[in-house]
Amino acid sequence: MNVLEKRFHTDSREKVFDGNHKRKMTHALRQSDLSFWKGKEQFRDLSQAKELAKMIKDEAILNLDKYLVEFEENFTRNGGKVIWAKDGEEAFEAVWEICKAKNARTVVKSKSMVTEEIHLNSYLIARNIEVIETDLGEYIQQLSGEPPYHIVAPSIHKSKEEVAKLFHDKLGVQDFLSPEELTKVARFELRKRFEEADVGITGINFLLSDIGGVAITENEGNARLVTAFPKTHIAITGIEKILPSVKDLSLFWPLLATHGSGQKITVYNSIFTGPKHVNEADGPEDMYVILLDNDRSTILSDPEMRESLNCIKCGACLNVCPIYKNIGGHTYNSVYGGPIGSVITPHLSGMKNYNHLSHASTLCGACTEVCPVKINLHGLLLHNRKESVDLEYKSKKEKFSWYAWKRTMLSRKKMNLINGSIKEFGFKILFKKSWGEQREIPTFPKKSFNQQWREKVMRNN
Amino acid sequence: MDHNKSREVVLERISHALKPCLNSSKPKEINQRYDELYVRSDENNINMFIDSVSELGVQVFQLLNVTEFKSHFQKVVATNGWSKFNCIDASLFKSLQLDSNLGDWTDDTLDCEVAITGCEVIVARTGTIVMSSSQIYGRILPIHTPIHIIIGYEDLIVYDLPNAFERIQLKYQGGFPSALFFSSGVSSTGDIEKTLVRGVHGPEKVYVYLFKN
């Protein structure tokens, strides 16, 4: 068992028995569930909409190179600049080069999981650039020095009292403020930061190849301000976020809103096609889009894994996952938690260190059921398990156990040889720990079913 | 760093990854009409818009003429005690016959309490107001000002997003503005215990005055 896997087990155990954590997560995820049920009422036939979304994403991913080049051509024609990055290092070096050229001191950011993936903030801060997260949830996480807990709701694990205490400690405001008052504090604190910032960095929800634009979805208005005040706008995205046409947003905006936050459509959906035009009132003078690979092309090369690139990062699979609910976001020790995180993390960060996440599942299939682009999430977890076995990342003990199991199972005689007491002994040696301290070790019948059956038949004759 | 080289490498990796499945990568024809995916009510677009935008916390008023607007707006201003207005669009100011004695009028984008703007398209099903950076208000004013008054006309209303995109594409055949904004409701968040709080970074209050054409 590697260090990360050990840590995963320890952290999971801690969270599972933390009643306070359970209470907060149950409350928050219950709210998500209720909103989702309301949001999906807008669809005449949700499964048909999902099927269509899957078809569009499948086609877009199968023609990824063509669509990315088309996006680049159109966006460049609009006056924007496209930067391609093989990995995280190239992406943050590109950001740093822009910041240097612009003499930037302050960066405001709207929500972006890709920048979490490449740890952009710490890289810029180390170069004396002030980085300010402006999404309320991200702002809360930045103040408390923690990574996001959920890909859509970064501070889902914090109670209002905890946020109030945090604001009191870090910003010097009164303690015990209500969510409304806390939101006002954030609005006030961040207003001036938008106005002063030199560079605005955003994520991207959809890359639109036909018009050379990027679509950004949010509810608060911070992304609108990040893209309005600073003279430079840098949008960073994984290459998989492609949609062939701006018209596809008629499906993907409502689908993302319903699955992400239970709305018909999110409050602010913006499309940016480039920097400010000469005749426009305001806006950035330069706009850059950074297209990041960072091992997505490796996922692309695996025909079975490929569909995981259809993900629109709505977070619905996290909301319904019994594992996520019980162990929480940080236990995954990966930027992307929950089912989709368990599927892609081993491919983004290494199968050797992260293959244990493939087992962080009950295989109940709730994730697959809810996914708006019909990714076979629990199937892909099995695919990862197989891959980690093929790559021989499993322990000697496990390998030996399977060997012994197979040999025994192939022989009736051997199976009957192992009586109940031996089974109990073997079970204790092999599974006592993973069975869990809270459960009793099962007892086995003294004789095998085969033996019992024979005896019964003999008796009756 | 050589960005061109990275471009080649990434594109090469992608085409290499997709190589074994070139046969299956022919673009499929997708004929499905997007607006048929959603539940359609029997209401006309105007009533549908009023219902859906009201649900999102926006106050919407249907008006017959400017006289009606003037008296209504005056009452709203008095009730709320607003004093600093921005209506940078001179023709809108004139056609609404706005009273310069109502309070301070400024063209300052940052220092105003109420922004009065027009809009480009209105989407009935989702309660969405479409604006763009090509309008005189630009990017900052409509999102930065605490109170947003939107003047709309019934003939700007379309049924759903596909119709809105059709209109926009027709309007901007020579190329899109640098930014298009689809706003549906009031700036809001659920980031603290999933409690809905309105008025985060964008306008805390949004009013739509809907005129007959």
Side-chain angles (χ1 to χ4, degrees), chain B residues 40-52 122-125 154 157-160 163 210:
Chain B
R40 186 160 200 157
S41 79
D42 299 330
E43 280 192 289
N44 65 39
N45 285 350
I46 298 168
N47 290 337
M48 199 189 299
F49 170 71
I50 293 173
D51 285 353
S52 47
I122 298 172
V123 187
R125 193 184 71 79
E154 287 179 0
I157 303 182
V158 295
Y159 166 58
D160 201 358
N163 318 90
L210 203 54

Side-chain angles (χ1 to χ4, degrees), chain B:
Chain B
M1 189 171 56
D2 187 350
H3 296 307
N4 273 334
K5 201 173 160 217
S6 305
R7 177 184 190 276
E8 272 166 40
V9 171
V10 175
L11 281 171
E12 169 58 33
R13 280 183 189 171
I14 296 172
S15 63
H16 187 259
L18 290 170
K19 216 160 217 166
C21 58
L22 275 183
N23 295 334
S24 61
S25 70
K26 279 180 202 131
K28 288 176 204 154
E29 268 309 312
I30 294 161
N31 291 320
Q32 183 89 31
R33 284 188 45 167
Y34 286 136
D35 56 1
E36 286 165 7
L37 295 171
Y38 304 99
V39 175
R40 186 160 200 157
S41 79
D42 299 330
E43 280 192 289
N44 65 39
N45 285 350
I46 298 168
N47 290 337
M48 199 189 299
F49 170 71
I50 293 173
D51 285 353
S52 47
V53 83
S54 310
E55 248 178 64
L56 300 170
V58 173
Q59 299 205 48
V60 51
F61 306 102
Q62 237 180 327
L63 299 166
L64 286 172
N65 52 45
V66 176
T67 324
E68 223 178 39
F69 167 77
K70 275 175 70 176
S71 70
H72 189 277
F73 188 58
Q74 244 162 15
K75 262 184 243 160
V76 175
V77 171
T79 320
N80 290 288
W82 299 333
S83 59
K84 213 160 195 183
F85 303 89
N86 177 317
C87 181
I88 199 165
D89 184 349
S91 64
L92 190 66
F93 186 89
K94 212 172 142 195
S95 63
L96 292 173
Q97 299 173 18
L98 286 164
D99 183 358
S100 46
N101 296 323
L102 213 54
D104 293 339
W105 291 87
T106 173
D107 281 350
D108 188 337
T109 312
L110 299 184
D111 187 23
C112 61
E113 196 181 0
V114 182
I116 304 169
T117 76
C119 61
E120 296 189 45
V121 183
I122 298 172
V123 187
R125 193 184 71 79
T126 53
T128 305
I129 304 281
V130 186
M131 295 181 68
S132 84
S133 57
S134 72
Q135 292 176 291
I136 188 170
Y137 327 108
R139 296 190 187 203
I140 296 173
L141 183 69
I143 193 70
H144 187 264
T145 315
I147 295 140
H148 189 186
I149 312 284
I150 301 162
I151 308 299
Y153 300 94
E154 287 179 0
D155 64 358
L156 293 177
I157 303 182
V158 295
Y159 166 58
D160 201 358
L161 292 166
N163 318 90
F165 283 121
E166 264 166 43
R167 279 227 187 164
I168 292 163
Q169 281 191 312
L170 209 65
K171 185 171 176 183
Y172 295 109
Q173 282 173 354
F176 277 21
S178 73
L180 282 163
F181 305 118
F182 293 69
S183 311
S184 317
V186 183
S187 161
S188 59
T189 187
D191 275 346
I192 303 175
E193 273 195 11
K194 294 271 165 186
T195 311
L196 175 71
V197 179
R198 288 193 162 132
V200 194
H201 296 294
E204 295 159 49
K205 285 182 180 161
V206 179
Y207 296 76
V208 175
Y209 283 101
L210 203 54
F211 284 87
K212 292 234 173 267
N213 305 317

Side-chain angles (χ1 to χ4, degrees), chain A residues 83-133:
Chain A
I83 297 169
W84 301 71
K86 290 198 291 278
D87 48 33
E89 201 175 316
E90 283 198 359
F92 53 60
E93 268 176 26
V95 175
W96 170 235
E97 272 178 30
I98 297 165
C99 288
K100 260 195 305 194
K102 307 283 175 191
N103 266 328
R105 302 257 48 96
T106 319
V107 167
V108 279
K109 279 183 71 201
S110 71
K111 216 176 137 11
S112 151
M113 289 308 292
V114 167
T115 59
E116 297 285 340
E117 178 185 325
I118 63 175
H119 307 292
L120 179 69
N121 290 12
S122 50
Y123 180 91
L124 290 177
I125 291 164
R127 277 150 193 79
N128 281 328
I129 289 186
E130 195 184 6
V131 182
I132 302 132
E133 294 287 351

Side-chain angles (χ1 to χ4, degrees), chain A residues 245-257:
Chain A
S245 168
V246 63
K247 292 178 192 157
D248 298 325
L249 295 173
S250 301
L251 170 60
F252 282 87
W253 274 348
L255 209 55
L256 175 60

Side-chain angles (χ1 to χ4, degrees), chain A residues 205-230:
Chain A
N205 293 93
F206 303 105
L207 274 167
L208 310 168
S209 70
D210 66 340
I211 61 161
V214 306
I216 298 175
T217 290
E218 49 147 354
N219 278 312
E220 297 180 1
N222 60 313
R224 291 268 302 263
L225 291 165
V226 164
T227 52
F229 280 105

Side-chain angles (χ1 to χ4, degrees), chain A residues 319-339:
Chain A
N319 297 343
V320 299
C321 178
I323 303 295
Y324 174 79
K325 182 175 165 181
N326 279 290
I327 69 171
H330 289 161
T331 303
Y332 290 84
N333 196 16
S334 149
V335 179
Y336 304 103

